[in-house]
Amino acid sequence: MITDELEHLTSAGVERVRAAATLEDLRATEHELLGKKSALASFNQRLGGLDVEERKEAGRRVNEARATLQQAIDDRRATLAEAERRHRLEADRLDLTEVLPVPGRGHLHLTTQTRDELEDVFIGMGYQVAEGPEAEDDWHNFEALNMPPAHPARSMFDTLYLDVGEPESVLLRTHTSPVQIRVMQSQTPPIYVVAPGRVYRYDTPDPRHLAAFHQIEGLVVDKGITFGDLAGTIEAFTNAYFGPGTHSRLRPSYFPFTEPSAEFEVTCIFCGGDGCRVCSQTGWIELGGCGMVHPNVLRAGGIDPEEWTGFAFGFGIDRLAQMRHQVDDMRDFLVNDIRFLSQF
Ligand code: DAH
């Protein structure tokens, strides 16, 4: 009797175990089949009413049934665990060969594009490109450019000093003009270079100013260079960069490192010189500063001003890009908003 019942219980139990679809299911089935309240457990109570021999035999059968069920459960558990592991691995797998549609390739920043175009124009005019350090010393940034300590023109440049060495001896260059000095120190004339790069001012950013921006510097040192060469060079550059029909003009100004000094302006590219909102009805847009290199500056660069003369100029690259593309707020250059950047 008991034997038949046990046999039935076992085969039905094994069926159930094999039907368990998840480890969770299997745990519940195990509890039902082998737990304290299981049918199998109730057999142990029934054994008490049997005589000794029968009890021995029946006990053995009960243990057998338990072992069979336990084995089936263990096997099923191993199978399910392996399946779940595989499933997890498959879900976590990274397909490194997958090719996703690219939402569009990036491109160089507007400032970089403008710098590259300017370099191209000047290289086309026979210039070389030079570079200098952004962390500069007081001597190159000011003193060698004819601004000794306490010179009032230093206040034109709101300077960020670095906490290196003597107080106020190392700074973030406020303009690209110190590269003039470095070029003169390392090269012998004739010199025809442009030096683009990042410069810094202790300034609160606003729609027309950034605390870190870019300039391009020009320096020519040769025999018999005159103010006429400067004016002609600015005109040639203006034509090459903005296209034929644009012109330039110089207006007297002051910079400590040039004498005489001038500000240069170009024909407003929006109205062609007729006068509009962008140029405040003047027909001209101011671009930068220029002049004949001061003899003190040539001397600081190790060049004899009796033998050589030269001119220099400098202007803002970001400002030029802002003007050309009519960007309202220069701070947008630094926000990295793809909607702004992708327009250029
Ligand atoms: N360094 C000047 C500035 O940042 C710009 C400048 C003016 C550069 C005259 C020159 C120059 O080379 O000759 O305001």
Side-chain angles (χ1 to χ4, degrees):
M1 258 296 275
I2 283 190
T3 319
D4 290 348
E5 272 183 63
L6 272 175
E7 224 153 74
H8 178 71
L9 194 76
T10 309
S11 58
V14 168
E15 277 312 303
R16 297 236 356 239
V17 167
R18 291 196 179 138
T22 63
L23 287 170
E24 188 74 11
D25 269 1
L26 185 64
R27 249 189 306 280
T29 307
E30 180 175 27
H31 184 71
E32 250 174 72
L33 296 177
L34 302 178
K36 283 206 184 82
K37 291 187 177 145
S38 61
L40 195 64
S42 72
F43 275 95
N44 283 327
Q45 284 142 33
R46 288 162 63 183
L47 294 182
L50 301 174
D51 63 45
V52 182
E53 274 313 303
E54 270 180 334
R55 197 190 307 159
K56 248 192 183 167
E57 175 59 16
R60 202 177 56 77
R61 291 290 172 102
V62 171
N63 284 341
E64 250 177 36
R66 176 174 291 277
T68 305
L69 287 171
Q70 188 67 62
Q71 186 61 53
I73 288 166
D74 291 348
D75 291 351
R76 184 68 187 151
R77 178 168 286 129
T79 308
L80 288 175
E82 174 60 15
E84 281 192 17
R85 196 183 70 90
R86 268 173 207 266
H87 185 75
R88 209 172 33 248
L89 283 180
E90 189 61 32
D92 288 352
R93 193 164 68 109
L94 290 180
D95 183 356
L96 299 179
T97 64
E98 188 175 22
V99 179
L100 290 173
V102 180
R105 284 181 69 182
H107 59 70
L108 295 175
H109 190 278
L110 175 58
T111 303
T112 311
Q113 290 181 38
T114 309
R115 185 203 63 196
D116 288 353
E117 285 167 19
L118 290 168
E119 281 184 15
D120 286 350
V121 166
F122 283 107
I123 287 169
M125 290 165 68
Y127 285 60
Q128 289 184 326
V129 178
E131 276 182 11
E134 291 177 19
E136 190 50 283
D137 54 58
D138 179 275
W139 189 81
H140 284 92
N141 194 82
F142 289 126
E143 208 163 335
L145 289 166
N146 205 27
M147 286 177 280
H151 190 285
R154 286 187 175 216
S155 63
M156 287 164 65
F157 305 99
D158 300 290
T159 310
L160 285 159
Y161 289 96
L162 295 176
D163 195 5
V164 178
E166 294 288 302
E168 303 201 349
S169 62
V170 183
L171 44 81
L172 292 175
R173 66 180 178 190
T174 59
H175 50 177
T176 43
S177 300
V179 187
Q180 289 186 32
I181 304 298
R182 293 188 175 273
V183 168
M184 288 190 273
Q185 286 178 317
S186 62
Q187 297 181 24
T188 49
I191 290 170
Y192 290 80
V193 296
V194 284
R198 187 177 280 137
V199 301
Y200 302 84
R201 302 263 171 103
Y202 186 41
D203 240 351
T204 307
D206 68 26
R208 283 171 60 79
H209 298 89
L210 298 175
F213 56 105
H214 300 80
Q215 290 186 334
I216 184 164
E217 192 81 13
L219 174 69
V220 166
V221 180
D222 205 341
K223 290 224 157 89
I225 294 291
T226 67
F227 201 86
D229 296 314
L230 169 59
T233 300
I234 300 274
E235 179 71 9
F237 149 71
T238 305
N239 276 312
Y241 185 75
F242 294 104
T246 51
H247 294 288
S248 60
R249 70 175 186 184
L250 303 180
R251 291 165 23 124
S253 185
Y254 171 77
F255 296 101
F257 26 93
T258 43
E259 182 60 36
S261 302
E263 252 147 38
F264 66 94
E265 302 184 336
V266 296
T267 322
C268 176
I269 53 174
F270 299 107
C271 61
D274 295 340
C276 68
R277 203 182 59 85
V278 178
C279 59
S280 314
Q281 310 304 328
T282 63
W284 295 94
I285 288 177
E286 188 194 314
L287 212 57
C290 61
M292 301 306 290
V293 182
H294 196 288
N296 288 349
V297 174
L298 288 171
R299 268 191 288 270
I303 289 173
D304 181 1
E306 298 299 330
E307 193 182 350
W308 305 93
T309 51
F311 64 75
F313 57 86
F315 57 93
I317 297 177
D318 321 72
R319 176 59 58 77
L320 177 65
Q322 176 183 37
M323 188 265 276
R324 200 173 177 190
H325 296 279
Q326 289 198 65
V327 176
D328 290 331
D329 195 330
M330 204 188 266
R331 290 172 294 188
D332 286 335
F333 284 22
L334 300 182
V335 175
N336 272 350
D337 184 330
I338 196 81
R339 291 167 302 179
F340 173 78
L341 297 173
S342 60
Q343 295 177 94
F344 309 106

